[in-house]
Amino acid sequence: MTRIAIRPCSFRHSEMLRQGGVHPVLARLYAARGLTDARELSSDLASLIAPAGLLHIGAAAVFLADAIGAGKKMVIVADYDCDGATACAVALRGLRAMGATVDFIVPNRFEYGYGLTPEIVALTAREKSPDIIITVDNGIASIDGVLEANRRGIEVVVTDHHLPGDALPAARVIVNPNQPECGFPSKHLAGVGVVFYVLLALRAELRRRGVFDAASQPKLDSLLDLVALGTVADVVKLDPNNRILVAQGIKRMRAGRMHAGVAALFRVAGREARSASPFDLGFALGPRLNAAGRLDDMSLGIECLVTDDEGRAWAIAQQLNEINLKRREIEADMQDTALLQLDAYEPADSSTITVFDAGWHQGVIGIVASRLKEKYFRPTITFAPGADGFIKGSGRSIPGFHLRDALDLVSKRAPSLIDKFGGHAMAAGLTLRADAFEAFSAAFEEVGKAWLSTAQLERVIETDGPLEDAYYTTAFIALMDGEVWGQGFAPPVFCDEFRVVSQRILKERHLKLLLERNGQRFDAIWFGHTAAVGERARVAFRLDANEYNGVTKVQLLVEHAEPA
């Protein structure tokens, strides 16, 4: 079931914002998203929270500055998703600009699993013989890996944003806004954001030592296109601090000041960098980078972001595009298999979904879990075969069901069931013995039944209510496009009653509508939906400026419609 709801909005807060000079509709949108102070809307770099608030960041800066001074060799160990790839590229570019000798290694997810494992440490020692390992977007759970590095005389700096377990690794320094005792106000930095902060602190330390002055220091703001891409693609909450990082990165992209690889990804995805939006980063660029880590080897994605050679960047972007097409094919097949399995039992009767297929590809199970969660609106975990009789699961959740905590509860109730697990509230990964799948499914469903009410299993489309007639304009759309919307700062969705003048099916997949209210007529499209709507409908929609034959008109993108 899906229903349309209107977001509550404090009239007092929206009035305060309006009196502070904010556009009346935007004032209402911001207030409904919990914003109370117009200063939180600043996208100036000067408004970023200072690095000093991150626990141990000063120690990390001193340690890295000493290491650069002593000519020590550093190797970055990255995660294999878009956040990991951008974090790796930011670390490489930033550290090199500050005089460090630095290289990188990306674990192949199928051979080594996630994080800094003892095997990765051995591989890194063998291939790169570093003095120092720096983890980006991983490492907070790598207790054994850090011990192995210490045993080999390699010092480890952990930079991560994932939630820590009960114990922390014995690293030389850990910078993670989510570690105990860290008072950093924004807990939502992505892995790439954490690394960017470490570089800011390191540069300040090198300035103090007289290595640079304000004029000669490396310009770290040139890395913000990468920071924005990783932040949006990792679907972290866009709190005011993350919105600054993303807004600054997008501003650079729109001005054409971006790295060769980012420009090549825009081009291969058929998107215009001069009108770059968070949507482009999350749905066009991010998936093409992620595909490399899912099916192949993320080194390709990192090389795309690290090269300054435009020809090389374009060649890699095309390769990434090919891998992404293959990923889509595999995903479509897997989804068909999953839907066949789920037809056998009715997901409506259960609070959770768990599916396994022996023919599935473990690099793509996370996306399939995501699609099934969208379709059935249930916490979903999909499993594929791993090594040595184990299966690997990737889960996606719905609001109000903390996935990592749920797995923690299952493992506390049945300690031998899960081999290992980790993750966040909305996404998590785990490994089981193949013969434990049925028992795990039952235990997971038990937690689902206990934690989720019927109302929580109903999909609610949150809207911002009606939009005044005067704002169905391309000028108002341009104003909204100037803001950074995304995870935790939802893009505006309006709802109103319309008369349905006409409707037809487009390309067998989409519903094309002509809607009318108060004498105004609008073209509308409901993607991926073909069932007809009645002659009066309550419609939840986003505004879109649709350019056709050189003419730009307002069209409505339908999110949901119900009889009025």
Side-chain angles (χ1 to χ4, degrees), residues 18-66:
R18 194 183 63 77
Q19 286 169 8
V22 177
H23 182 286
V25 180
L26 288 181
R28 172 164 74 85
L29 297 174
Y30 295 147
R33 282 154 186 74
L35 207 121
T36 53
D37 183 344
R39 281 178 308 207
E40 286 181 55
L41 291 167
S42 166
S43 60
D44 282 353
L45 272 178
S47 305
L48 268 185
I49 301 166
L54 269 167
L55 187 65
H56 304 323
I57 197 162
V62 168
F63 175 70
L64 292 171
D66 287 347

Side-chain angles (χ1 to χ4, degrees), residues 269-521:
R271 314 291 291 192
E272 288 282 357
R274 64 167 183 266
S275 57
S277 71
F279 183 84
D280 293 327
L281 306 188
F283 293 94
L285 276 66
R288 284 170 171 79
L289 270 177
N290 269 330
R294 289 185 187 285
L295 298 191
D296 201 344
D297 176 356
M298 196 33 127
S299 306
L300 201 60
I302 292 169
E303 201 188 327
C304 184
L305 302 177
V306 173
T307 182
D308 291 320
D309 176 334
E310 285 177 18
R312 179 84 189 109
W314 174 238
I316 300 174
Q318 287 173 292
Q319 254 177 294
L320 291 171
N321 199 47
E322 288 302 312
I323 298 172
N324 194 47
L325 290 170
K326 190 169 128 193
R327 186 269 305 169
R328 280 189 198 159
E329 274 173 41
I330 294 172
E331 182 199 324
D333 287 347
M334 285 166 63
Q335 211 169 322
D336 291 346
T337 312
L339 294 174
L340 281 172
Q341 278 196 38
L342 292 174
D343 279 348
Y345 78 92
E346 189 45 58
D349 302 338
S350 64
S351 302
T352 61
I353 292 173
T354 42
V355 268
F356 164 69
D357 190 271
W360 280 353
H361 189 298
Q362 55 168 283
V364 187
I365 46 177
I367 306 183
V368 175
S370 215
R371 300 277 191 265
L372 295 175
K373 178 215 62 171
E374 286 302 317
K375 184 173 167 65
Y376 295 110
F377 208 65
R378 299 279 183 278
T380 301
I381 306 180
T382 46
F383 289 88
D388 309 327
F390 282 93
I391 57 175
K392 289 206 156 170
S394 185
R396 298 291 182 271
S397 195
I398 60 174
F401 187 86
H402 194 301
L403 196 51
R404 189 190 166 281
D405 287 359
L407 295 176
D408 194 35
L409 183 57
V410 169
S411 94
K412 284 192 168 83
R413 285 178 176 173
S416 60
L417 207 51
I418 302 177
D419 181 51
K420 51 177 186 273
F421 70 91
H424 302 283
M426 300 306 276
L430 70 159
T431 309
L432 308 174
R433 284 188 325 283
D435 56 19
F437 173 72
E438 299 296 337
F440 170 78
S441 299
F444 186 60
E445 172 61 20
E446 222 172 281
V447 177
K449 283 258 191 292
W451 285 9
L452 289 163
S453 64
T454 316
Q456 282 172 295
L457 293 170
E458 185 179 50
R459 186 194 311 271
V460 178
I461 301 230
E462 280 204 304
T463 73
D464 294 291
L467 177 66
E468 295 81 348
D469 290 356
Y471 300 117
Y472 284 81
T473 63
T474 51
F476 179 65
I477 293 171
L479 188 68
M480 288 197 299
D481 285 348
E483 281 308 312
V484 171
W485 311 95
Q487 185 67 18
F489 199 73
V493 174
F494 301 100
C495 77
D496 218 322
E497 278 190 29
F498 293 87
R499 184 170 80 84
V500 180
V501 180
S502 66
Q503 52 187 318
R504 62 188 170 84
I505 291 173
L506 196 66
K507 296 181 181 167
E508 299 175 16
R509 304 233 317 265
H510 316 299
L511 192 63
K512 189 97 175 75
L513 303 142
L514 184 61
L515 302 176
E516 181 183 76
R517 77 176 273 290
N518 296 350
Q520 279 185 296
R521 286 188 168 191

Side-chain angles (χ1 to χ4, degrees), residues 7-30:
R7 251 185 212 98
C9 172
S10 154
F11 177 72
R12 193 171 71 85
H13 289 155
S14 107
E15 228 1 64
M16 276 160 46
L17 288 168
R18 194 183 63 77
Q19 286 169 8
V22 177
H23 182 286
V25 180
L26 288 181
R28 172 164 74 85
L29 297 174
Y30 295 147

